[in-house]
């Protein structure tokens, strides 16, 4: 079983930066596709960044150019670097892992089977 634990959330001012981490632990042979999702109160969960085989990445339009997903396979950590934060980026952020390599494309929660508990991000204007 693979476990995911996020950290790095907190408060930031608009225009600032935060880096989220997701520690991947447990028995696994391949990383498989991993992604970051977020959910704000009263809104649906939104897939915002994913990393696939050969480190191919995809981003939602809402974060493209501001957020960067990456992974350190030696430390087993998935990262989300968030720059130029906006008040609308405030949400609970989740990392998730698929059970296979996915094609680069839209980031859909149904494709991901393992989830972390989330880390809260607040952004003040």
């Amino acid at each position: 079983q693979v476990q995911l634990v996020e950290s790095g959330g907190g408060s930031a001012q608009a225009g600032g930066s935060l880096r989220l981490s997701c520690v991947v632990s447990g028995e696994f042979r391949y990383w498989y596709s991993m992604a970051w999702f977020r959910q704000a109160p009263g809104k649906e969960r939104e897939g915002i960044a994913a990393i696939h085989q050969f480190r191919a990445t995809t981003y939602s339009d809402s974060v493209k150019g501001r957020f960067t997903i990456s992974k350190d396979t030696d430390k087993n950590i998935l990262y989300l670097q968030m720059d130029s934060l906006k008040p609308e980026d405030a949400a609970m952020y989740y990392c998730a892992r698929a059970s296979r390599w996915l094609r680069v494309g839209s980031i859909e929660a149904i494709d991901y089977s393992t989830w972390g508990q989330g880390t809260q991000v607040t952004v003040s204007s």
Side-chain angles (χ1 to χ4, degrees):
Q1 282 281 36
V2 174
Q3 294 84 41
L4 307 176
V5 178
E6 303 95 334
S7 63
S11 297
Q13 290 199 330
S17 299
L18 284 173
R19 188 177 77 162
L20 305 184
S21 299
C22 172
V23 175
V24 184
S25 63
E27 294 291 327
F28 63 99
R29 184 174 182 183
Y30 301 108
W31 266 74
Y32 292 140
S33 293
M34 292 197 67
W36 287 95
F37 290 78
R38 67 185 182 186
Q39 189 167 20
K43 294 189 176 182
E44 292 188 357
R45 188 167 295 192
E46 175 191 18
I48 57 171
I51 187 165
H52 304 289
Q53 197 172 21
F54 309 120
R55 299 179 186 265
T57 57
T58 186
Y59 298 91
S60 66
D61 289 342
S62 60
V63 306
K64 194 176 297 181
R66 300 188 298 121
F67 290 10
T68 304
I69 188 172
S70 63
K71 63 183 180 181
D72 185 328
T73 55
D74 291 330
K75 296 180 180 179
N76 286 346
I77 301 176
L78 179 75
Y79 296 103
L80 184 69
Q81 178 66 42
M82 306 188 295
D83 298 318
S84 302
L85 283 163
K86 303 176 180 180
E88 52 262 43
D89 293 321
M92 184 71 82
Y93 282 71
Y94 301 89
C95 67
R97 178 178 180 267
S99 57
R100 57 186 175 88
W101 290 113
L102 302 172
R103 291 185 178 183
V104 173
S106 60
I107 307 164
E108 304 292 341
I110 196 171
D111 292 326
Y112 294 84
S113 54
T114 303
W115 293 79
Q117 82 291 345
T119 186
Q120 184 71 44
V121 171
T122 58
V123 183
S124 57
S125 57

